Amino acid sequence: MSRTSSATKLFSSLLIQSKHGHRLLPSSPASFAGVRNWSASATPPAKEENPSNKPVVSYWGVAPTKLAKEDGSAWKWNCFRPWESYKPDLSIDVKKHHKADTLMDKGAYWTVQTLKFPTYLFFQRRHMCHAMLLETVAAVPGMVGGMLLHCKSLRRFEQSGGWIKALLEEAENERMHLMTFIELAKPKWYERALVFAVQGVFFNAYFLAYLASPKLAHRIVGYLEEEAVNSYTEFLRDLDNGSFENVPAPAIAIDYWRMPPDSTLRDVVMVIRADEAHHRDLNHYASDIQCQGLELKDSPAPLGYH
Ligand SMILES: [Fe+2]
Ligand SMILES: [Fe+2]
């Protein structure tokens, strides 16, 4: 049997079923003919991330695979893969609040209340704009915390208890909220400038806060997430009373949260609010662990939500 025909046979027999039921299709028979030999037939990245749509020529054997959805249609997103999509837990309690009893908790709570005031004043009922800019900030703490725990794990030659992954998952999830909102609203130049400045300040401030006191940093994020839940509740209220148009959900949201094709913006806000409630619980829990004199690695991280 020639090399090509044996590779083709192998190709047709290998439809890999992922844990969420999505099929992973090899890009071409050549991809199974030997990774090192697979080069020019590599699948070009999707149009969205390669505007020129020119095929990438490389002999390094790392070209992307073609993916398919459950219905057999092609997977069109390069920014996330089918196994990263999930159904959020909509039954999560969206009214939960951590009572600030200690001095540290009160400090964290009032820090968030102080930060909240100018943003509510600035955005008022412009929910889409508010949500979009909120997400650019919300995606920072998980990345900073995850990065610092990663470095700590390397420095101390010790496990992290899954917390590095949990925090990086949170950051990625927040970034996907942002990717969803930019399908619905395009930021103006001054909003981009605001994000640029806020990120410069917030990243460094949170980095220093996490170095000084991780339990305080997580408590602040816990309260920030409580406010995120509240602002999405306001968004839902205005969608329900008709003061905000309930447009169809963007395609990226339908695939990321495995929503029905006829989903609307209201459905999107519902799932994002559930995500924020999960982030709230995770960060308050991370702070509670450390307030009890333990380290994060002593208690397994709540992984597997996404
Ligand atoms: Fe978010
Ligand atoms: Fe969040």
Side-chain angles (χ1 to χ4, degrees), residues 135 138 170 174 177 225 228 275-276 279:
E135 298 297 351
E170 180 194 300
E174 296 285 18
H177 294 173
E225 299 289 354
D275 284 351
E276 307 300 7
H279 302 156

Side-chain angles (χ1 to χ4, degrees), residues 131-139 174 177-178 181 232 272 276:
M132 194 168 56
L133 298 198
L134 181 84
E135 298 297 351
T136 67
V137 171
E174 296 285 18
H177 294 173
L178 178 66
F181 284 121
Y232 283 119
I272 290 179
E276 307 300 7

Side-chain angles (χ1 to χ4, degrees), residues 251-285:
I252 193 169
I254 288 170
D255 283 342
Y256 185 62
W257 285 287
R258 300 191 207 158
M259 296 160 82
D262 59 348
S263 299
T264 62
L265 176 59
R266 190 185 192 283
D267 301 313
V268 173
V269 175
M270 284 290 288
V271 292
I272 290 179
R273 185 175 68 162
D275 284 351
E276 307 300 7
H278 172 69
H279 302 156
R280 171 203 65 195
D281 296 351
L282 185 143
N283 279 282
H284 278 318
Y285 177 55

Side-chain angles (χ1 to χ4, degrees), residues 44-91:
K47 226 172 183 175
E48 52 163 9
E49 293 190 6
N50 181 6
S52 66
N53 216 24
K54 280 185 188 163
V56 177
V57 179
S58 169
Y59 53 83
W60 294 103
V62 290
T65 46
K66 265 187 191 168
L67 300 169
K69 287 165 72 171
E70 280 169 338
D71 62 7
S73 59
W75 182 260
K76 60 195 245 191
W77 311 106
N78 285 349
C79 53
F80 71 104
R81 305 300 156 100
W83 52 87
E84 291 166 282
S85 67
Y86 63 100
K87 268 192 181 299
D89 174 16
L90 291 176
S91 68

Side-chain angles (χ1 to χ4, degrees), residues 123-163:
F123 293 111
Q124 295 183 4
R125 306 210 82 73
R126 293 184 297 139
H127 296 299
M128 194 65 81
C129 188
H130 187 181
M132 194 168 56
L133 298 198
L134 181 84
E135 298 297 351
T136 67
V137 171
V140 169
M143 184 56 69
V144 171
M147 176 184 71
L148 287 172
L149 290 182
H150 175 79
C151 293
K152 185 178 173 186
S153 168
L154 303 179
R155 264 193 333 270
R156 293 195 178 179
F157 305 94
E158 64 185 22
Q159 299 285 344
S160 75
W163 283 94

